[in-house]
Amino acid sequence: MRRIVVGDDGTGQGRVLADDSVDPLTLALLPGAEIYRIWELDELPDLPVDRMPSQTDTRYFPGPGGLRFGFISVPPGLTYEPDADLSEEAMAAVTAEAETKLPGMMAAFDPAAPGMHSTASIDFIVVLGGQGRMRLGDGVDVSLRSGDCLIQNGTPHAWFNDGAVPFVFCYTLCGVADRNATTKP
C-alpha cells in the first residue's frame, strides 16, 4: 500500500516527508489476514511536523493520547478458532510471532472468546470493501458493508467476514484513559 506523508518545509509550505510502500503484516495465528500499519503516534505532535515519527517497538494499540491509522483485510472464513492439530509448542510459537510483530496485541484478546478483544481506545472504522460483521461481547452482531462507518468506544468486539471476498476496512484508533483498567481481566 502506498503511503504519502506531507509535512512542513520550515517555511510554512508543505513538502513530502515520505512516499513509500507499506507491506502488510501477516500472522500464522490469523491465516489470510493482512494488517497495514500506516501511521502511529504515541503522543500527539506539535505543528509543524517536519519529520517522520519513530515507529520502532511501537505497541500495536495506542496508549492515552496515542493514535494508530491503518487498514485490515479479513479473509473469508476466518474463525479465530485455534487449529486443533497444533501442538502446544506450535501454538506458543504462533502466539510469540504475533507478539513480536504486533507488540501488546495478544494482551487485548480474551482467551475464552476467540477473536474477542477490547482496548482503551475510540476506534473510527470505514469499510472499504466486502461485507462482514463486528460481534460485540454479548454476542450481538453488527452487519457491515462497503461505505459503512462505525465508531467503537472501548467495548469487547471481534471482526468476521461474511462474504466471498476480503472484508477490508480502514481504522483510526485514538488512545484514551481506561477508568475500568483495574477491574478488567
Side-chain angles (χ1 to χ4, degrees):
M1 184 169 292
R2 184 178 177 198
R3 172 182 62 187
I4 302 143
V5 179
V6 177
D8 191 289
D9 70 356
T11 68
Q13 298 299 309
R15 74 176 173 101
V16 175
L17 299 177
D19 185 345
D20 54 12
S21 186
V22 175
D23 294 326
L25 288 171
T26 59
L27 303 172
L29 196 60
L30 302 172
E34 296 180 336
I35 302 167
Y36 294 84
R37 295 176 77 173
I38 303 295
W39 187 256
E40 300 182 344
L41 300 170
D42 287 322
E43 57 186 37
L44 295 178
D46 292 324
L47 291 178
V49 172
D50 60 0
R51 64 186 174 280
M52 294 289 289
S54 170
Q55 291 191 353
T56 57
D57 298 325
T58 301
R59 298 187 67 71
Y60 183 59
F61 296 113
L67 180 73
R68 304 292 185 263
F69 173 71
F71 297 84
I72 295 179
S73 177
V74 179
L78 183 66
T79 67
Y80 303 104
E81 293 292 335
D83 184 345
D85 295 332
L86 278 183
S87 68
E88 192 173 311
E89 292 164 345
M91 182 55 105
V94 298
T95 301
E97 176 209 26
E99 186 60 31
T100 298
K101 289 183 175 181
L102 299 171
M105 182 185 84
M106 295 307 296
F109 281 81
D110 179 350
M116 196 64 62
H117 61 284
S118 61
T119 59
S121 61
I122 297 174
D123 306 347
F124 299 91
I125 309 296
V126 178
V127 179
L128 301 175
Q131 61 186 57
R133 63 191 146 89
M134 179 185 72
R135 174 166 290 157
L136 299 176
D138 61 1
V140 170
D141 286 343
V142 178
S143 295
L144 299 163
R145 66 178 191 273
S146 187
D148 286 350
C149 299
L150 170 77
I151 297 96
Q152 193 283 120
N153 291 287
T155 59
H157 64 284
W159 301 104
F160 296 92
N161 182 336
D162 292 330
V165 299
F167 171 49
V168 180
F169 57 90
C170 174
Y171 65 84
T172 299
L173 311 179
C174 301
V176 298
D178 186 353
R179 293 184 301 229
N180 297 320
T182 58
T183 61
K184 285 188 176 180

